[in-house]
Amino acid sequence: MKRDCYIGVDLGGTKILAGLFNQGLSCIGRAKMKTKAYRGPKAVIERILACVGVLMQEQETPISRIKAIGLGAPGAVDPESGTVLFAPNLPDWKKISLGPALEDKLQVPVRIENDGHICVLGVHRVEFASRPRFLIGIFIGTGIGAGMIIDGKLYTGFNRTAGEVGHMVVQEGGPKCSCGNRGCLEALAARPAIYRKIKAMIENGDKSVLTEIVGEDLEGLRSGDLRKAMKRGDKVTRTVVEDAAYHIGIGVANLMNLLNPERIVLGGGVIDALKDLMLPTISETAHLHALAGTDKGVQITATKLGDDAGITGAAVLASGR
Amino acid sequence: MKRDCYIGVDLGGTKILAGLFNQGLSCIGRAKMKTKAYRGPKAVIERILACVGVLMQEQETPISRIKAIGLGAPGAVDPESGTVLFAPNLPDWKKISLGPALEDKLQVPVRIENDGHICVLGVHRVEFASRPRFLIGIFIGTGIGAGMIIDGKLYTGFNRTAGEVGHMVVQEGGPKCSCGNRGCLEALAARPAIYRKIKAMIENGDKSVLTEIVGEDLEGLRSGDLRKAMKRGDKVTRTVVEDAAYHIGIGVANLMNLLNPERIVLGGGVIDALKDLMLPTISETAHLHALAGTDKGVQITATKLGDDAGITGAAVLASGR
């Protein structure tokens, strides 16, 4: 049988998404599973394999048709050995030989990269026909990561760890971050920070329709619930989401002042659910904080690939394009 | 007569430095003048010409031996037209046709670039024989600028304004910056911020040997005076300089997390005067705030070119190397 398909896998702190792609890099099917990261690396690798298995079943495609698999992991990665060096949002992931483990089971070549790098690669190669020379992608979900295209190529840096925009300090002495420091962008604007602030406000006595939507304890709160609450005019949600958008705007301005990219694209679960509600504040704050001339002609948009940015980039990686 | 020399000019907010360079890009003489920026662009251009005139006189070299002149300007520059688009620390510099004005008077080709870009170019081409692929230079004086070498080449971005690290917000809501925003690195750690904090502490009743060294009103305070005071164990100076070093360390960490460079080099008047006193705190803070793995093997040093980084880079620019 001819090997004429690719699989792209997006391994996140919350969920695993796998997509089947044809040679033209169009997505022809998806499968999704919870990561259950607390179970540790071995169990998560089993879940990646299970997710790929479900995808192949649903698409009625045998693994023998897969040319290569690409995977984006939320942390520092050594693509040559296929190792995840560390992943702040995946407990106990230190020097995990992920690529070889998957190759061993699936008997297909597996390439891995950092998820921020992967997402911007997907956006650059598949979404933008113009192929901007200088593109930065910022992806906001459980964590905040970035990927950069410089001179038309993926930029990964000296130790291949570039793009850790989530750990850019924008508020010295600010809230504690998972990395141990204070005032990182991630500690101010990623999904857990948003949820934490909402819970604190409600515990403080503020009323919110979120308790109607998901229950008093707010267990199982999701980005989509924030959207529903904002659409119903909920003040608590609006205050917290706009605050997060402001911090992201500061982060975007810092990147514009520093790197003067041609385009900035935003993505990830939080943006995917709330883009029309967050983008005006992000954009306004960013332009307000950009030095004159720096942001001239620079567009800030949400990726049209939405939640598929990761699997698309992973498929691009698999294809070697 | 053979044209076998270059001139490099470093136009700063406080002083103009001009250097004569041989074909091997060794500096064979320097001349220095105050910028007197408050007099406006026309007068400053006259002063650049006067500074070059003094250099030629002192070096007994006729202008007919100069092959080309390079100049670094503290702001956004359009190198193709030789225009300074704007310069936050030079009053009234908006779309000033600096290159053509100098060419007209001197009858020698003039190339201009942003001073941060110029300085890192000088460091990369002249100081580092190893030519690191990813190098960031941060230059701290009246303002804070940066230059980046990415993949061995000078990186200037989409509108050629990259490197504005001085306007990276690291302390949201912090002190007001000359750019109009708050909490920029420059408003926390450049020379004017250091002087302002020292003056405030002394006005508040803190005792400092600086009043002995430069007089009660602290008029004419210079970076070298801070060095003398610190060497004499002055608490006020130490507190303020270490605070500035901390903020710079946060800025360096942000750059390491974001860009994962191979080397970071610090320069500019403040670093030149205080490097041994500031570098330990800068380096410690930066490594403390860098994500694990990001700073592995990354060296943070002060440029050995010292105050000559700007004129050296300008000479490199003039030579086209």
Side-chain angles (χ1 to χ4, degrees):
Chain A
M1 197 174 286
K2 211 183 148 197
R3 291 188 184 270
D4 58 358
C5 292
Y6 300 103
I7 292 175
V9 180
D10 180 7
L11 170 59
T14 308
K15 69 171 197 295
I16 300 161
L17 189 60
L20 182 66
F21 289 78
N22 64 18
Q23 300 250 42
L25 295 178
S26 291
C27 185
I28 49 188
R30 293 163 193 78
K32 190 153 85 171
M33 280 181 100
K34 287 205 170 146
T35 307
K36 302 199 189 245
Y38 61 87
R39 292 190 185 170
K42 249 191 164 167
V44 170
I45 293 173
E46 286 303 323
R47 294 183 71 78
I48 295 169
L49 289 165
C51 190
V52 168
V54 169
L55 177 71
M56 306 317 287
Q57 284 249 324
E58 293 297 311
Q59 298 304 318
E60 296 177 1
T61 304
I63 195 81
S64 55
R65 280 197 41 203
I66 304 302
K67 217 167 165 181
I69 296 174
L71 181 146
V77 162
D78 176 20
E80 272 170 47
S81 65
T83 310
V84 177
L85 301 172
F86 58 93
N89 294 312
L90 295 177
D92 302 325
W93 280 66
K94 266 176 200 157
K95 294 199 181 167
I96 301 295
S97 195
L98 177 61
L102 297 177
E103 280 184 351
D104 193 48
K105 291 280 184 181
L106 298 169
Q107 296 295 312
V108 173
V110 175
R111 291 177 180 209
I112 72 170
E113 245 301 357
N114 166 273
D115 56 357
H117 298 167
I118 284 285
C119 285
V120 83
L121 194 65
V123 171
H124 190 252
R125 300 288 199 272
V126 175
E127 182 174 351
F128 290 144
S130 69
R131 297 268 173 108
R133 271 181 71 204
F134 307 115
L135 168 71
I136 299 180
I138 306 174
F139 305 97
I140 299 144
T142 312
I144 300 183
M148 290 169 270
I149 300 289
I150 291 185
D151 236 346
K153 290 180 303 189
L154 183 65
Y155 174 79
T156 59
F158 177 53
N159 296 321
R160 310 192 66 115
T161 64
E164 290 291 355
V165 71
H167 301 284
M168 175 168 68
V169 174
V170 295
Q171 193 186 86
E172 287 180 358
K176 191 107 182 170
C177 181
S178 63
C179 73
N181 294 316
R182 286 185 174 278
C184 299
L185 184 57
E186 190 164 304
L188 292 160
R191 193 189 289 114
I194 294 174
Y195 288 1
R196 197 177 55 241
K197 282 184 209 173
I198 287 176
K199 284 179 185 171
M201 281 182 80
I202 293 175
E203 278 166 21
N204 245 337
D206 286 291
K207 296 276 171 236
S208 166
V209 298
L210 283 172
T211 55
E212 275 175 42
I213 298 173
V214 289
E216 285 298 327
D217 57 3
L218 298 179
E219 277 306 307
L221 183 63
R222 292 168 54 193
S223 302
D225 301 319
L226 305 184
R227 178 176 191 80
K228 281 179 213 156
M230 280 179 81
K231 287 286 178 194
R232 284 171 61 182
D234 190 58
K235 264 194 187 173
V236 166
T237 312
R238 202 189 61 213
T239 304
V240 173
V241 169
E242 283 193 349
D243 180 62
Y246 172 82
H247 296 301
I248 295 165
I250 294 283
V252 169
N254 283 355
L255 293 178
M256 288 206 287
N257 284 333
L258 191 65
L259 289 170
N260 183 221
E262 186 173 348
R263 285 200 75 139
I264 291 183
V265 78
L266 297 157
V270 170
I271 295 295
D272 199 34
L274 300 165
K275 52 183 172 283
D276 52 321
L277 301 168
M278 292 181 88
L279 222 64
T281 302
I282 293 173
S283 189
E284 191 192 342
T285 308
H287 285 294
L288 204 66
H289 286 81
L291 272 202
T294 306
D295 58 343
K296 200 179 149 191
V298 181
Q299 281 180 277
I300 304 170
T301 53
T303 172
K304 291 189 183 112
L305 296 178
D307 212 21
D308 280 356
I311 55 172
T312 305
V316 171
L317 183 75
S319 76
R321 262 170 257 178
Chain B
M1 196 174 285
K2 211 182 149 198
R3 291 186 184 269
D4 57 358
C5 293
Y6 300 104
I7 293 175
V9 180
D10 180 7
L11 170 60
T14 309
K15 69 172 197 291
I16 301 161
L17 189 61
L20 182 66
F21 290 78
N22 64 18
Q23 300 248 42
L25 295 178
S26 292
C27 185
I28 48 188
R30 291 165 194 78
K32 190 154 85 172
M33 281 181 99
K34 287 204 169 142
T35 308
K36 305 206 188 236
Y38 61 87
R39 291 191 184 170
K42 250 193 162 163
V44 170
I45 293 172
E46 287 302 323
R47 294 184 71 79
I48 296 169
L49 289 165
C51 190
V52 169
V54 169
L55 177 71
M56 305 318 287
Q57 283 250 323
E58 293 295 313
Q59 298 304 318
E60 296 177 2
T61 305
I63 196 81
S64 56
R65 278 193 47 199
I66 305 302
K67 217 166 164 180
I69 297 174
L71 181 145
V77 162
D78 175 21
E80 272 169 48
S81 65
T83 309
V84 178
L85 301 172
F86 58 93
N89 294 312
L90 295 176
D92 301 325
W93 280 66
K94 266 175 199 156
K95 294 201 182 164
I96 301 296
S97 195
L98 177 60
L102 296 176
E103 280 183 351
D104 193 46
K105 290 280 183 182
L106 298 169
Q107 296 295 312
V108 172
V110 175
R111 291 178 180 207
I112 73 170
E113 245 301 358
N114 166 272
D115 56 356
H117 297 166
I118 284 284
C119 286
V120 83
L121 194 65
V123 170
H124 189 253
R125 300 289 199 270
V126 174
E127 182 174 349
F128 291 145
S130 70
R131 298 269 173 108
R133 272 181 71 203
F134 307 114
L135 168 70
I136 299 179
I138 305 173
F139 304 96
I140 299 143
T142 313
I144 299 184
M148 291 170 270
I149 300 288
I150 291 184
D151 235 344
K153 291 180 302 188
L154 184 65
Y155 174 78
T156 60
F158 177 52
N159 296 321
R160 310 192 67 114
T161 64
E164 289 291 354
V165 70
H167 301 285
M168 175 166 70
V169 173
V170 295
Q171 194 185 85
E172 286 179 357
K176 191 106 182 172
C177 181
S178 62
C179 73
N181 294 316
R182 287 185 173 278
C184 299
L185 184 57
E186 192 165 302
L188 292 160
R191 193 189 289 116
I194 294 174
Y195 289 1
R196 196 178 54 240
K197 283 185 208 171
I198 287 176
K199 284 179 185 171
M201 282 181 80
I202 293 175
E203 277 166 20
N204 243 338
D206 286 291
K207 296 276 170 234
S208 165
V209 298
L210 283 172
T211 54
E212 276 175 42
I213 297 173
V214 289
E216 286 297 327
D217 58 1
L218 298 178
E219 276 305 307
L221 184 64
R222 293 168 54 194
S223 302
D225 302 318
L226 305 183
R227 176 175 193 83
K228 282 180 213 156
M230 281 179 82
K231 287 285 178 195
R232 285 172 61 182
D234 189 59
K235 263 194 186 172
V236 166
T237 311
R238 202 187 64 212
T239 304
V240 173
V241 168
E242 283 193 348
D243 180 62
Y246 173 82
H247 296 301
I248 296 166
I250 294 283
V252 169
N254 283 355
L255 293 178
M256 289 206 288
N257 284 334
L258 191 64
L259 289 170
N260 182 221
E262 186 173 348
R263 285 200 74 140
I264 290 182
V265 79
L266 297 157
V270 170
I271 295 295
D272 199 33
L274 300 165
K275 51 182 171 281
D276 52 322
L277 301 168
M278 291 180 88
L279 223 63
T281 301
I282 293 173
S283 190
E284 192 192 340
T285 308
H287 285 293
L288 205 67
H289 286 81
L291 272 201
T294 306
D295 58 343
K296 198 177 152 193
V298 180
Q299 281 180 279
I300 304 171
T301 53
T303 172
K304 290 188 183 115
L305 296 178
D307 212 22
D308 280 356
I311 55 171
T312 304
V316 171
L317 183 75
S319 76
R321 263 172 256 177

